[in-house]
Amino acid sequence: MEATSLPAALELVASGGTGLSPEKRAVLGTSLLLLQRDYRFERVWFWGCIQGVHGAYYIAEGLGPDRAAPRSRLYSLNCLEWSLLPPATEEVVAQAEQLTGRFQGDPSFEYNYTDINAEDVERLSEDGMEPMMKEEARLIATVEQIDREVGIIPRGAFVKTPLGSVSENRNFEGLSLVEAKKLSSYFHFTEPVNLKNKTLLEKADLDPSTDFLDSLEHDIPQGSWTVQLEKGGTVVVLRSLLWLGLTFYHVPMTKQYGYVYFGTGEKNLDLPFML
């Protein structure tokens, strides 16, 4: 969610029982603006917090002119001092998927061979990958996974230019209340997958400038999102059941929207059996 509107945005998603203390909100309000200045980002988003056993990771994302370009990610242990994370590679993401259990809260903590089953150790060794990894690498991969699978935006909030770059839509004034309650009105803010498999007939009614991403209505498993009206019906809130702790909000007929994650960084692999 946007750093400049952080206090108000956190209030809109606070009904889930998670959030930040007043002290943390005040510190973040200042440090994120300094972060934007020092790294010369166009925008800074507060991504959320991954709670470990002995500490928490606070995550921020920096954006440039092209919103579809890879985002710069930073983490902090105290909301004051920020460290830049290297880009997430497919190898790191694949290796992190084999790890289970809570984060420790220590970036230098190393996961040893017992944290990965024998078959995966052998496969990683054959691929030339090191089966031991630091928690910082797992943090990089987890944030990337969550952004890919449940990082979302409302339809029309961004436009794609003929040259392929993506920018914010200045004409976007929010979804109507009727549209805001539909999963089809929200898109995954990542490289589309399902869209490429659609037929020409299915694409005929799509606007290539706004409908260039995958919508939530075809997410697998079905039922992995909850849609609720809160604050007296003035705010639409979507929560992910796949990554528990991911909350998205949108105030219909306004430009206010965003998502934030407060959780343990563990995927709910039991979801298909819970639906």
Side-chain angles (χ1 to χ4, degrees):
M1 52 179 59
E2 192 74 43
T4 54
S5 58
L6 187 60
L10 287 173
E11 287 294 331
L12 296 177
V13 299
S15 59
T18 56
L20 296 171
S21 65
E23 293 80 7
K24 284 286 192 294
R25 293 188 190 187
V27 171
L28 276 174
T30 302
S31 67
L32 290 178
L33 294 178
L34 295 175
L35 196 67
Q36 181 175 354
R37 183 200 67 184
D38 294 342
Y39 284 87
R40 298 183 181 179
F41 295 133
E42 273 205 1
R43 293 285 182 88
V44 169
W45 286 353
F46 175 63
W47 183 89
C49 171
I50 292 180
Q51 186 65 50
V53 176
H54 304 297
Y57 297 104
Y58 300 92
I59 312 296
E61 292 186 329
L63 290 81
D66 185 0
R67 298 295 191 260
R71 281 158 266 177
S72 298
R73 298 189 175 105
L74 305 97
Y75 77 94
S76 173
L77 301 176
N78 56 12
C79 297
L80 280 173
E81 301 168 335
W82 296 88
S83 300
L84 188 65
L85 289 168
T89 63
E90 294 299 328
E91 291 77 14
V92 171
V93 172
Q95 190 173 354
E97 287 180 342
Q98 312 305 320
L99 299 175
T100 58
R102 294 280 303 276
F103 278 79
Q104 298 300 307
D106 178 8
S108 61
F109 177 81
E110 291 187 345
Y111 293 89
N112 56 39
Y113 294 94
T114 60
D115 297 318
I116 309 177
N117 63 55
E119 292 181 2
D120 291 323
V121 169
E122 184 178 351
R123 180 181 61 80
L124 291 171
S125 298
E126 291 175 354
D127 294 341
M129 295 165 59
E130 177 61 50
M132 182 179 290
M133 71 184 307
K134 289 189 176 182
E135 185 158 278
E136 186 181 66
R138 185 188 179 190
L139 179 66
I140 297 166
T142 301
V143 174
E144 176 70 18
Q145 272 188 286
I146 294 175
D147 265 346
R148 284 183 189 178
E149 298 181 17
V150 291
I152 61 176
I153 58 170
R155 181 180 184 270
F158 289 82
V159 292
K160 188 173 185 178
T161 67
L163 297 177
S165 63
V166 175
S167 59
E168 294 180 19
N169 186 0
R170 296 181 180 180
N171 297 320
F172 178 70
E173 296 296 338
L175 301 171
S176 66
L177 182 58
V178 174
E179 291 297 318
K181 293 187 288 185
K182 300 178 182 178
L183 282 179
S184 58
S185 297
Y186 301 96
F187 292 154
H188 288 282
F189 196 34
T190 186
E191 187 70 24
V193 177
N194 297 329
L195 186 65
K196 297 177 181 177
N197 299 326
K198 287 190 175 184
T199 64
L200 291 175
L201 187 61
E202 291 174 317
K203 293 180 180 179
D205 295 329
L206 301 180
D207 184 343
S209 65
T210 56
D211 301 321
F212 57 93
L213 300 170
D214 290 333
S215 71
L216 270 60
E217 61 180 333
H218 301 301
D219 278 12
I220 299 174
Q222 289 285 338
S224 60
W225 291 95
T226 65
V227 183
Q228 296 173 310
L229 286 175
E230 298 184 359
K231 305 291 183 182
T234 60
V235 182
V236 177
V237 176
L238 280 70
R239 291 187 174 87
S240 172
L241 301 180
L242 185 63
W243 288 94
L244 297 172
L246 190 287
T247 306
F248 171 89
Y249 77 94
H250 176 49
V251 181
M253 305 306 294
T254 74
K255 296 184 178 183
Q256 299 180 57
Y257 68 88
Y259 67 86
V260 67
Y261 178 82
F262 288 102
T264 60
E266 296 173 285
K267 191 173 184 179
N268 183 15
L269 300 176
D270 296 327
L271 179 60
F273 306 102
M274 299 167 63
L275 297 174

